Amino acid sequence: KNQVEQSPQSLIILEGKNCTLQCNYTVSPFSNLRWYKQDTGRGPVSLTIMTFSENTKSNGRYTATLDADTKQSSLHITASQLSDSASYICVVSATGNQFYFGTGTSLTVIP
Amino acid sequence: DADVTQTPRNRITKTGKRIMLECSQTKGHDRMYWYRQDPGLGLRLIYYSFDVKDINKGEISDGYSVSRQAQAKFSLSLESAIPNQTALYFCATSEPKTGLDGYTFGSGTRLTVV
């Protein structure tokens, strides 16, 4: 069964600290993996996309990693800011334009 | 202007009423989707359309219907709204470019059924 699991479900960190969010998947055949940021009451916005051959991708303070062998991805946020408070959703695409969503990690950054 | 526009942004309606949520896009994408989001459940697919003449049910289509009026427009209807349809609704588009397909989401419609 194609599934995407994210952990932790929620996370609270102090401003300026780093954090890492996890995504494990069983989707096959794999096409790509995206991390989305969703601000409260807004639509998800793509942060990074990685294909099978990529194992790291950065977007400013966001760095995503992908281990296609173990089917794991992580999103590392460096020097967190209050504006990083959001839900982060991992979406795995299977070949043929099939998408599988994780339930997200809710991140709260406190001053 | 946003690539994917949803209207209305917020709506409160009474049980039993018919309501339509609208979505339009300027991405030029053929594929359009309607999702609902509930706390703790993530995004769940209601309906999707791969072109103007194509309509497909998602995992939670009961109680909903859709219309793909044009490539750029995809509307979602609740024929007789019920309280458990209170949720955040998202329209999305995608373009099946090999290896790089992904969604562009609208800003969402918050629907409350009382």
Side-chain angles (χ1 to χ4, degrees):
Chain A
K1 184 178 178 182
N2 291 315
Q3 286 186 312
V4 178
E5 295 185 352
Q6 292 186 243
S7 62
Q9 188 174 14
S10 62
L11 183 61
I12 300 173
I13 62 172
L14 290 173
E15 186 179 12
K17 297 295 185 182
N18 303 335
C19 67
T20 300
L21 315 180
Q22 299 288 347
C23 174
N24 297 338
Y25 63 93
T26 59
V27 176
S28 181
F30 177 86
S31 176
N32 65 67
L33 184 148
R34 284 181 187 254
W35 283 93
Y36 286 84
K37 179 187 179 188
Q38 184 180 17
D39 293 313
T40 301
R42 309 294 295 181
V45 174
S46 180
L47 291 174
T48 63
I49 176 173
M50 287 184 292
T51 58
F52 186 86
S53 59
E54 298 173 298
N55 50 27
T56 225
K57 184 73 70 78
S58 290
N59 178 0
R61 294 180 296 103
Y62 299 101
T63 299
T65 65
L66 174 66
D67 186 334
D69 292 331
T70 62
K71 299 187 176 182
Q72 296 179 324
S73 176
S74 65
L75 180 69
H76 186 74
I77 304 175
T78 304
S80 61
Q81 300 176 358
L82 298 179
S83 60
D84 293 331
S85 295
S87 287
Y88 292 84
I89 303 171
C90 175
V91 182
V92 182
S93 172
T95 305
N97 202 225
Q98 299 284 321
F99 298 98
Y100 299 91
F101 288 78
T103 55
T105 292
S106 176
L107 175 65
T108 303
V109 181
I110 58 176
Chain B
D1 288 340
D3 292 324
V4 181
T5 302
Q6 292 184 232
T7 56
R9 288 298 313 277
N10 293 282
R11 180 73 181 267
I12 300 174
T13 192
K14 293 183 178 180
T15 298
K17 292 291 187 182
R18 183 180 188 274
I19 182 169
M20 180 182 291
L21 309 183
E22 311 231 19
C23 176
S24 63
Q25 53 119 343
T26 58
K27 300 284 288 185
H29 290 171
D30 287 328
R31 300 185 176 195
M32 298 187 74
Y33 308 78
W34 275 104
Y35 281 88
R36 67 176 278 176
Q37 188 176 41
D38 300 275
L41 293 178
L43 286 150
R44 293 183 291 166
L45 182 63
I46 305 172
Y47 270 96
Y48 62 102
S49 168
F50 283 177
D51 66 41
V52 174
K53 295 177 180 157
D54 178 72
I55 300 290
N56 304 281
K57 292 183 177 181
E59 61 182 296
I60 54 164
S61 59
D62 288 347
Y64 302 94
S65 63
V66 291
S67 174
R68 185 80 184 269
Q69 303 94 320
Q71 187 210 35
K73 295 184 182 296
F74 193 36
S75 59
L76 175 72
S77 293
L78 287 68
E79 296 301 326
S80 180
I82 56 177
N84 75 3
Q85 291 177 312
T86 293
L88 191 54
Y89 289 84
F90 288 102
C91 175
T93 71
S94 77
E95 184 67 27
K97 295 176 183 176
T98 302
L100 295 176
D101 47 299
Y103 285 122
T104 301
F105 286 92
S107 295
T109 294
R110 183 170 295 281
L111 176 66
T112 304
V113 183
V114 297

